[in-house]
Amino acid sequence: MNTGELTDLGQQLRVDSVRAAAAAGSGHPTSSMSAADLMAVLLAHHLRYDFDRPAHPGNDRFVLSKGHASPLLYSAYKAAGAIDDEELLTFRKLGSRLEGHPTPQRLPWVETATGSLGQGLPVGVGIALAGKRLDRTGYRTWVLCGDSELAEGSVWEAAEHAGYEHLDNLTVIVDVNRLGQRGPTRHGHDLDAYARRFQAFDWHTIEVDGHDVDAVDRAYGEAASTKGQPTAILARTLKGKGVEGVQDREGLHGKPLPEAEEAIAALGGPRDIRVRVQEPPAARMLHSVHTGNFELPKWDKGEEVATRNAFGEALTALGTGRGDIVALDGEVGDSTRAEFFAKEHPDRYFECYIAEQQLVASAVGLASRGWVPYAATFAAFLTRAYDFIRMASVSGSGINLVGSHAGVAIGQDGPSQMGLEDLAMMRAVHGSTVLYPCDANQTARLVGAMAGLEGVRYLRTSRGESPVIYAPDEEFPVGGSKVLRSSGADRLTLVAAGVTVHEALAAAEALEQEGIAVRVIDLYSVKPVDRATLRRAAEETGCLVTVEDHHPEGGIGDAVLDAFTDGRPVPRLVRLGVRTMPGSASPEEQLRASGIDAESVAAAGRLLVEEAVVR
Amino acid sequence: MNTGELTDLGQQLRVDSVRAAAAAGSGHPTSSMSAADLMAVLLAHHLRYDFDRPAHPGNDRFVLSKGHASPLLYSAYKAAGAIDDEELLTFRKLGSRLEGHPTPQRLPWVETATGSLGQGLPVGVGIALAGKRLDRTGYRTWVLCGDSELAEGSVWEAAEHAGYEHLDNLTVIVDVNRLGQRGPTRHGHDLDAYARRFQAFDWHTIEVDGHDVDAVDRAYGEAASTKGQPTAILARTLKGKGVEGVQDREGLHGKPLPEAEEAIAALGGPRDIRVRVQEPPAARMLHSVHTGNFELPKWDKGEEVATRNAFGEALTALGTGRGDIVALDGEVGDSTRAEFFAKEHPDRYFECYIAEQQLVASAVGLASRGWVPYAATFAAFLTRAYDFIRMASVSGSGINLVGSHAGVAIGQDGPSQMGLEDLAMMRAVHGSTVLYPCDANQTARLVGAMAGLEGVRYLRTSRGESPVIYAPDEEFPVGGSKVLRSSGADRLTLVAAGVTVHEALAAAEALEQEGIAVRVIDLYSVKPVDRATLRRAAEETGCLVTVEDHHPEGGIGDAVLDAFTDGRPVPRLVRLGVRTMPGSASPEEQLRASGIDAESVAAAGRLLVEEAVVR
């Protein structure tokens, strides 16, 4: 296209953005209008993409980090012939694929859900890592960011990662329209302020007038041909560009234009330009899923093994068997044991340093390209990435997260290092799976099972050693549980997972000595929970004590109650968990202080059974 | 002190760090040894601090961002005479004040709990903001960071904030020892790599040999006299400095030295140097708590008001009455209505732009200086700051967080903007309070009540308007609830909060028409929960239906169960919540699609009552 045609295409994208928002009665047309020329040039001249084959391995990848500019994205889809005008006008309506913020669950051309700002570039870094280190089909990753979102630290984690990894297949286009939601940004139209920052993180930068289509065209060409560095294009634009009284004005964020018809006329009225988007080059994926037979590691009953070690060994074995498994570390691989995988499969190991948001975002990016990522750090530090985990579930992303050093059982390091909110956090994620093994063989099986699940999967591992209690060939279906002790005379059920399984077993032994028969359930699948087994235990024993190395809210106790919230009779229940703020102490002292050691469990069980009898 | 004395003091801090870790059998001596000279010079020549009066308004503020180097901190306390040698050797033991990572809950000289990396600088920015804009007593904030933690995005959020705000009362000292936990950092000893980054964010930088005490002394002096910019001192150091076989070696992170006795000898043996720390200048706090009478805003029953508006108005009124109230915004003040406060009290309003980690960290910093912060953004985006919220609770920090746009009721914007995990996340925080009002008068009262609570307080507000159902003089104690309908014939209790209160009321009305008398409880205090009222309802009506605009895990349904996990009989219960991934749709369509509108509530209640009868 020539200059005039590109300019016309930009105007069409503006007009369609205005129309879509007007039809919806909500949305962000002004944020779309600032970036319309940037999008027009990208679509017409630089993006290599087959809209009929979104899974084509040679396709470039485009991420709209400023997800609220969805009218622009959908207008571009229309210009590319991927959707029609009728669908464009379903924007934001019930059942429409065109949501307020784009998601891959609805649209095959969307790489990742956006709408929480500062996430597009980190996920784009994950995609570019896949492209450069694994897929190697030559695709380019383009990320369109707003200027406001550059205040998010996650953007600079991503900038650091991309610069260090020399991701020259990555371009970020920053739509510097100088206006955030509530007013001006910190740096206004000072492109140099942004350029200095990206340069400091070893990026190539280009400053450009974002409404000069020829200059933008040249900038994209320069970005694509820059070697050894990612490129940031800082584009000076005007919010609401092209409509007098709207352009560059505060107070018009996230609203349909006040006079849509007049605005459309001012923009030259509707057009019907169709863009022939460049075909991607022929390419095939390098990875094959099955690369050979493999066996998960096995341990003998009675061995003392930390579940974190079992995770490391199992993941390594899984990686030997499956070429699509990748591992990511947040600079604690020696603690989480992810480093075992690194030694065996260095080509599929991603060191993310101490940057948990980028750790999870890289996993999301890799998963979007068909890889099966396991990202591991301390359970406590996954809280740093909660917004990314939440958004991964909006994307329907299939990622495995592994949190080690769970609970007070870590001992002396104290509360900053203890995952005590992770079960609550992960259970509340839509469609998530939450697993918490108590021995090495169980851990290995669950590590293997996770790979085949949908959605966000979470495995909680422990720092200290614990005895192997299961045979190596035991099966652990997700959604199941294990009844470790039971008899017809059981008057109480103890429900535990992870480290507290061993405490519960000891408590049961003690109570048995006193003549109280006790059932013990290992609830290794915290979500989904094994309703049938819990209900049977409730019916047969009447009393339940749950015990967990986690704050009482949202963890195993609440998961157990999931089995009883459909109106059926509920057992008498006591929920043990960490109710005080721990300090430093030995693991044994910690369990005792929190009232989740064998003695405390036995005491709670005894009291519940006695009270049940008295009543 | 002269060069030799300073050097000796550094050696003493090393020796004591080695001794403390040896006594504990765990800890991070090598990370302490790299920064020992940096700490020695600070303590002896630059820090102005009265250890007998930690609340002295003129005291400088020191934050150990690399919290694992706690042996160094405690050794410094010993050198300053704040603790004795006997206490030093209680390090990491049960009941000791000297935890693995320092917390202000145990030690009066600690400003904020650290141990989750990348948090010290952001909180330091909050303290420096307080110093510069509010306290104005001339104190300086010193933050000692590791190099590994500079990979955290939160550090660059903080750098951006500090540079933009010209916080020349803030100095960050980076202990560039080139080794992280599992191996080398990205940039090793390339001080310039770090300096470039800080400079890009408008900081003054100084590169220095971190073991040259005179050079360090000059650098601190330069930092203290630099005007208009914060200063970053990049100090080249060696991990494990001073002990051959340990110094600059990998694989020795987080472990006592292998040969402690020999190491101590190599370091010149124990010393007993006492430092006379500089007195702070005489100073008094500028703020007074009560600046005048004020009245919370009031609305008439039947008015339609969004609770977010009520929050904005109530906070503004509170700010008029109390001079210690401050407000913080994450660039969405026009949405959360925090901007109402900005208009009235611009001097006490902190714009944090789109940087939720810094938003919460600033609140923690301000709270540490005695201010009462309210930090507001969308409920969904508070997930970005979960690690900071978790650590705030470890600190025992008194902060108010306000999350607007909760739940599917926001409508068209879609799931990225919907807070659907926030109640679970906030309930799981130790010692937190979680409030969720359903009308404007209730909101205003709760905004006022929050100010006087301990720990992390969370208020959840709604985007859309809802009818005022309470009289302006109604009281809403934290930990209470309101029974909105009841009779002796109730066969069912509906428990709701926020938007679902109105749905529950309509459902109760419909069921009443069918001859089913229904109790309705407004559970505005989600944590702590009103156990007595819930238990009474269970005893009197037998059946409970909970309904919440939140995922079912960890929210209101689980909060209700809190009342029944002490072994007492549990009512039959059905828990309604958002069980599918929402898309874009109108608020009414969203409530219906999620099964939490009046009709769905009535249907669930009817079924439960009928089943209860059948059984």
Side-chain angles (χ1 to χ4, degrees), chain A residues 53 102 120 125 148 150 209 233 321 338-339 345 410 420 423 441 465-466 499 525 550 564 577 608:
Chain A
R53 295 191 295 163
V125 166
S148 278
L150 300 189
D209 174 349
I233 297 171
E339 71 172 11
H345 314 292
I410 65 164
L420 289 168
L423 295 176
N441 286 320
E465 292 178 348
S466 54
V499 293
S525 179
H550 184 273
F564 304 98
L608 183 61

Side-chain angles (χ1 to χ4, degrees), chain A residues 510-525:
Chain A
L511 290 170
E512 189 91 27
Q513 302 290 323
E514 300 171 21
I516 302 174
V518 177
R519 185 168 301 185
V520 176
I521 296 176
D522 169 11
L523 201 73
Y524 63 83
S525 179

